Each structure stands twice: as C-alpha cells, then as structure tokens.
Amino acid sequence: IVRAGRPIRNNEVARMSLVEVPVLRGDLRRDTLIHQSHIAWVTVNSSDLPQDAVTDAAYLIGKAPRSFVAANAPIRRSEVTAIHQVTMAVVARDIARGEAIGPTDVNWVEVTDNDVAYGAIVDPSLVRGRITTRPIRAGQPLRAMDLTRQTVITRGKLVTMIYTTNAMKLTVQGEALEDGGMSQPIRVNNAKSKITVIAEVLDANTVRVVSQQSAMQ
C-alpha cells in the first residue's frame, strides 16, 4: 500500500509490462469446441502470466478444454487440446419406411468425435441410392442400420455388361445372379461365355465389369 501524501520510495513501485491475452467469455466444460464467439480479451501484467499462457486467439479456435476452464482467466496451452470434427448425417424431415433418401432429406452437421451418435453416418457415399428400413423422425442422426440399398437390378434380369480399357470398350449381354442397388458390385453371368464376373451396377439395365477382361470373351 502506498499512502497518500507520503513520498514514494523506489522499492515501493515496479515497472509493469501490460499485454492483452485471449480469455473465455464464459466457463467452458471439457470437450466443448471453442469458437471465435467464446473469446474476449483482457489486459494483464506479463509477469503474472503462466509461462505457457495462450497469447494468440487463433491458437484456441477449433480446440477444446481438457477439463473445466473458467471465464476471464488466462488460458494455459496445456489446458486445451485439438479436437477432430466430423460431419454427421441428421434427418431433415420425417421419413417413412421404404423411402428413397434425397439430397434435401439430410443435413450434415459438424460435431466432435465425442458427440457422434453410435453408428451415425459420416460418409455421404453411404447415403446415396439408399432407402430407409424404418420410419425416422426429423432431427435424428441417420445410422447405417437405418438404410439399405435400393434394388435396381433383380436376380435373373438380362443386363448389358460393359468392360472398358484405355484402348477399347466391349459390351455383351449377361444375366444378373443376384439383386443389386446403384454402385453395388454383384455377380453377373456372361450369356456368351457363361463366365461369372463381378460387375458394378450403373443403372437398371447396365453393369460395369470390374474383374478380368477375359470375362468379356
């Protein structure tokens, strides 16, 4: 304490080095993703800062507290950690069983690894060309078990088999040996050679051979 009206001695004062550091506007719990809106700035004496204090707000964006972090206090680098974000499929409307999933039927929501619902779809390729196996309410995560491929080629159907290389393109008629959905590999029997090959379903009448060229002979 320095009292009014008395001379001030050299040993009663010290030079301060003031710096601005980012802090949290409110308390954050563990694994809460830090956004720009969470960050405020305060001015402190640099000598009061921990050695590993965060001084750059950009360092905090996209990270999460390792444990509870209080608001308005300098943040140590050891108190936050990088967190992986993924996009999770969430149903945009009520969908009945057996409906085909369209692009507008799913919202892709950014969440952390810890917030991904069990079995939830995070890969858009697992949604295209699928139909629902049960009714799903809007706002629910879309799970792999909720979908199945829509059958476009049925077993026994005659289809056009395509085999393509850099030098040529061959076509021949074949018979589907099993049901198949879009982009699904199925077994197809070459009607000419009677050789069975694996082919990818392109549409309701066409498959693309993905095995050896000899299968088209």
Side-chain angles (χ1 to χ4, degrees), residues 5 19 26 28 54 77 86 116 119 125 134 136 140 143 164 212:
V19 295
L28 283 188
V54 176
R77 289 176 178 263
V86 296
V116 176
S125 67
R134 66 178 184 87
I136 310 174
Q140 290 185 340
R143 305 171 190 268
T164 305
Q212 297 298 322

Side-chain angles (χ1 to χ4, degrees), residues 8-205:
I8 301 173
R9 302 174 183 273
N10 286 333
N11 62 359
E12 293 177 321
V13 293
R15 185 178 298 277
M16 292 183 64
S17 177
L18 299 179
V19 295
E20 282 194 328
V21 296
V23 297
L24 298 177
R25 295 181 184 275
D27 299 341
L28 283 188
R29 62 178 178 82
R30 178 182 177 182
D31 294 336
T32 302
L33 195 67
I34 299 174
H35 298 282
Q36 183 68 49
S37 59
H38 291 136
I39 297 174
W41 292 85
V42 297
T43 302
V44 297
N45 184 4
S46 62
S47 63
D48 294 333
L49 288 176
Q51 186 174 4
D52 66 341
V54 176
T55 57
D56 181 5
Y59 179 84
L60 296 174
I61 305 300
K63 291 185 171 63
R66 294 181 183 273
S67 58
F68 175 85
V69 175
N72 301 313
I75 304 168
R76 303 172 69 106
R77 289 176 178 263
S78 58
E79 291 180 315
V80 295
T81 183
I83 193 164
H84 184 230
Q85 282 186 282
V86 296
T87 53
M88 179 178 68
V90 176
V91 178
R93 65 176 180 87
D94 291 349
I95 301 178
R97 178 181 179 181
E99 280 196 66
I101 299 293
T104 60
D105 295 331
V106 176
N107 292 325
W108 293 95
V109 180
E110 281 198 352
V111 295
T112 67
D113 279 336
N114 295 332
D115 293 328
V116 176
Y118 177 77
I121 293 175
V122 297
D123 182 356
S125 67
L126 299 180
V127 176
R128 290 191 294 269
R130 264 64 168 189
I131 59 174
T132 55
T133 59
R134 66 178 184 87
I136 310 174
R137 292 286 188 183
Q140 290 185 340
L142 189 61
R143 305 171 190 268
M145 68 180 68
D146 297 331
L147 302 178
T148 188
R149 291 182 185 270
Q150 185 175 11
T151 300
V152 295
I153 290 179
T154 57
R155 179 180 178 181
K157 182 173 182 177
L158 296 179
V159 295
T160 299
M161 303 168 61
I162 299 175
Y163 182 82
T164 305
T165 68
N166 293 331
M168 62 180 178
K169 179 179 179 180
L170 301 175
T171 61
V172 70
Q173 192 174 58
E175 180 185 353
L177 299 181
E178 53 192 334
D179 294 345
M182 289 295 294
S183 303
Q184 184 177 5
I186 62 172
R187 292 180 300 117
V188 181
N189 189 47
N190 186 321
K192 180 180 178 180
S193 66
K194 305 304 180 183
I195 294 176
T196 298
V197 299
I198 302 299
E200 177 189 4
V201 176
L202 299 182
D203 57 41
N205 300 296

